[in-house]
């Protein structure tokens, strides 16, 4: 509707075209849905291309965030292991010092 193509809403609804299905449509499928105007198909295809690019950008950003979280988690885990080793060494040294006395 925001593209001023509301005349196709009923057919898209009748065919259960949702966002996921919409991204799969090409010129031939749009024509089969009753979109006979090449200008209307061009508008939809251009908008779909923009949407796909936005989705891809969002997906890449999500992957980047996940990689950063994983890197941070590993770093924290390494720090905990180092602290644990230091604590073990300190308690071991203290025990040896007590045993020597």
């Amino acid at each position: 509707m925001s593209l001023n193509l509301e005349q196709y809403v009923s057919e898209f609804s009748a065919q259960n075209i949702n966002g996921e299905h919409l991204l799969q449509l090409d010129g031939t499928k749009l024509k089969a849905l009753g979109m006979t105007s090449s200008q209307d198909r061009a508008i939809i295809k251009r908008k779909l291309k923009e949407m796909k690019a936005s989705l891809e950008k969002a997906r890449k950003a999500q992957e980047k965030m996940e990689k950063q979280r994983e890197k941070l988690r590993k770093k924290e885990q390494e720090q905990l292991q180092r602290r644990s080793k230091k604590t073990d060494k300190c308690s071991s040294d203290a025990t040896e010092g007590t045993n020597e006395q």
Side-chain angles (χ1 to χ4, degrees), residues 41-84:
R41 286 193 308 272
I43 291 169
I44 292 282
K45 289 191 291 187
R46 183 172 45 250
K47 191 64 172 176
L48 288 173
K49 186 176 180 180
E50 291 172 12
M51 289 170 62
K52 288 176 184 178
S54 292
L55 284 172
E56 183 63 19
K57 187 176 180 180
R59 184 188 63 77
K60 286 182 179 181
Q62 180 70 25
E63 286 178 358
K64 185 177 179 180
M65 290 276 290
E66 288 173 6
K67 285 181 182 179
Q68 288 174 339
R69 280 191 203 117
E70 181 64 22
K71 188 176 179 181
L72 185 61
R73 188 188 64 74
K74 284 182 180 180
K75 188 175 182 178
E76 288 172 349
Q77 199 172 28
E78 288 172 358
Q79 287 175 344
L80 285 172
Q81 287 175 345
R82 278 190 232 119
R83 286 183 192 144
S84 176

Side-chain angles (χ1 to χ4, degrees), residues 5 7 12 26 28 41 44 52 64 83 86 101:
L5 300 171
Q7 67 268 29
F12 277 53
D26 60 10
T28 305
R41 286 193 308 272
I44 292 282
K52 288 176 184 178
K64 185 177 179 180
R83 286 183 192 144
K86 282 183 180 179
Q101 291 175 356

Side-chain angles (χ1 to χ4, degrees), residues 30-45:
L30 289 169
K31 211 174 197 179
L33 284 168
M35 195 173 279
T36 57
S37 168
S38 62
Q39 288 178 325
D40 290 352
R41 286 193 308 272
I43 291 169
I44 292 282
K45 289 191 291 187

